[in-house]
Amino acid sequence: MEVFNSPQQFLRHFSGKSYSIGMVPTMGALHEGHLSLIEKALIENDKVLVTIFVNPTQFDNNIDLKNYPNKLEEDIYKISQFGKNISVFIPNENDIYGDKIISKQYDLGNLDRVMEGKIRKGHFQGVATVLEYFFKTFLPSKAYFGEKDYQQLLIVNHLSKSLNISTKIIGCPIVRTTDGLAMSSRNILLNSEERRIAPKVYEGLKLAKKLASTEKYKKVKIEVRNFFKNLSLIRLEYFTATDPFTLVEFNPNEKIKYGRGFIAASLGKIRLIDNINMS
Ligand code: PAF
């Protein structure tokens, strides 16, 4: 395993070699979800590049940025366990942004106008800015993203097409703990009571899926809201069911066919998001 701190170091190391590179972009605090992306990338490519960069422009709030878990030493150890075909890129803000830490502005095809995009203003412009930099600097053959951030996955697909980037975007299934909670770096910020109740997010999604087989969307929505109303500590921010490609919400009187269901909920200061294939 090599660790690179500057893009020049990486490019020098790989110059003149025609390896296929699989990229796994992360913000660190690696969990089993990340490790599953790395495993897949190692199978499908000659070399894997994991990036660890807590990207400031995708945070809409400074406290969230400050509290974002930093586990660099553990992360490097975990990555080193994958052997020799793997490198880590740990840039600093200057490498990516120069002296102006601001996002570029992209047309993300309205995919950024709903759900997380509505709540976390500018979030996806920040994600797009850093990913455009990674894609254009390292020219990976494939890049791996978890379906837990399903909206992000669709946006990255849209971005790579609109910028004519040849990197193939690979979506990978959500990895869950045994009690159903979707793996996320933020989970370690939950206190023990919050952690105990956190799997209710996935239970809410499973309830929605079950109801959707017989009920119209409006009834599903009411029942999911009621499910969360009866729980303490956890607050439902939204439940929505949409077309899985356009993220256009179903009509209240429709039955959900071939849809994706999404939940965002807050537990104390921590927001959790999760989603499910409703068909
Ligand atoms: O999903 C993430 O961890 C981040 O949004 C990403 C893709 C690494 C961009 O900073």
Side-chain angles (χ1 to χ4, degrees):
M1 178 195 68
E2 281 103 7
V3 178
F4 299 102
N5 292 109
S6 79
Q8 291 81 6
Q9 265 177 346
F10 176 87
L11 295 171
R12 229 178 288 129
H13 191 82
F14 284 100
S15 79
K17 303 189 180 111
S18 56
Y19 293 126
S20 65
I21 293 176
M23 171 179 277
V24 181
T26 80
M27 300 207 297
L30 303 183
H31 49 68
E32 280 169 48
H34 294 117
L35 304 186
S36 76
L37 303 182
I38 294 175
E39 272 162 27
K40 190 166 167 67
L42 276 166
I43 294 170
E44 297 184 349
N45 302 273
D46 300 327
K47 301 280 175 191
V48 168
L49 176 64
V50 180
T51 63
I52 300 182
F53 178 60
V54 180
N55 176 31
T57 61
Q58 72 185 74
F59 287 79
D60 61 338
N61 122 29
N62 264 335
I63 301 171
D64 191 24
L65 173 60
K66 250 180 70 201
N67 290 342
Y68 200 82
N70 178 335
K71 301 266 171 205
L72 199 52
E73 255 176 58
E74 283 170 45
D75 290 344
I76 290 177
Y77 175 74
K78 285 180 185 167
I79 296 168
S80 72
Q81 299 301 298
F82 286 98
K84 62 178 172 41
N85 285 327
I86 194 157
S87 309
V88 195
F89 177 54
I90 310 171
N92 59 41
E93 290 176 353
N94 234 31
D95 293 319
I96 314 258
Y97 289 103
D99 52 13
K100 280 211 181 80
I101 303 184
I102 48 171
S103 304
K104 291 196 197 174
Q105 293 302 308
Y106 302 84
D107 176 353
L108 299 173
N110 290 336
L111 294 167
D112 61 333
R113 302 263 164 98
V114 294
M115 300 190 294
E116 292 306 287
K118 223 165 154 182
I119 291 176
R120 305 179 67 193
K121 293 274 175 252
H123 168 69
F124 289 116
Q125 299 295 340
V127 171
T129 304
V130 74
L131 290 178
E132 178 184 6
Y133 173 88
F134 289 149
F135 291 154
K136 290 195 170 162
T137 306
F138 300 117
L139 305 174
S141 321
K142 295 181 180 171
Y144 297 80
F145 296 87
E147 284 184 349
K148 185 185 147 285
D149 296 307
Y150 189 90
Q151 187 175 10
Q152 168 172 278
L153 174 62
L154 291 187
I155 286 177
V156 177
N157 247 314
H158 180 93
L159 178 78
S160 76
K161 286 200 184 93
S162 65
L163 296 176
N164 266 322
I165 285 165
S166 59
T167 305
K168 193 164 174 219
I169 307 303
I170 314 283
C172 302
I174 300 173
V175 178
R176 301 182 181 280
T177 54
T178 45
D179 58 6
L181 177 62
M183 298 267 184
S184 162
S185 302
R186 285 187 175 85
N187 291 351
I188 52 180
L189 302 173
L190 297 167
N191 68 29
S192 57
E193 268 185 286
E194 291 163 351
R195 174 63 190 80
R196 198 173 35 78
I197 202 108
K200 294 289 177 196
V201 173
Y202 186 45
E203 278 181 37
L205 285 169
K206 285 194 294 189
L207 171 70
K209 180 171 176 157
K210 188 162 163 245
L211 289 168
S213 61
T214 52
E215 307 296 336
K216 289 181 179 161
Y217 179 39
K218 70 176 168 207
K219 170 89 170 149
V220 176
K221 248 182 146 164
I222 292 169
E223 292 301 322
V224 172
R225 262 192 234 130
N226 287 342
F227 173 78
F228 282 96
K229 254 190 215 146
N230 293 328
L231 297 171
S232 55
L233 281 178
I234 189 164
R235 187 177 66 82
L236 178 70
E237 282 186 19
Y238 61 75
F239 160 70
T240 182
T242 74
D243 175 278
F245 303 109
T246 62
L247 299 184
V248 172
E249 189 175 9
F250 280 91
N251 212 297
N253 287 315
E254 268 177 291
K255 282 188 96 188
I256 305 169
K257 273 212 180 118
Y258 311 115
R260 195 98 195 168
F262 299 87
I263 280 181
S266 44
L267 284 115
K269 294 194 177 75
I270 311 303
R271 293 185 74 242
L272 299 178
I273 59 169
D274 198 352
N275 65 83
I276 196 167
N277 178 352
M278 301 281 287
S279 36

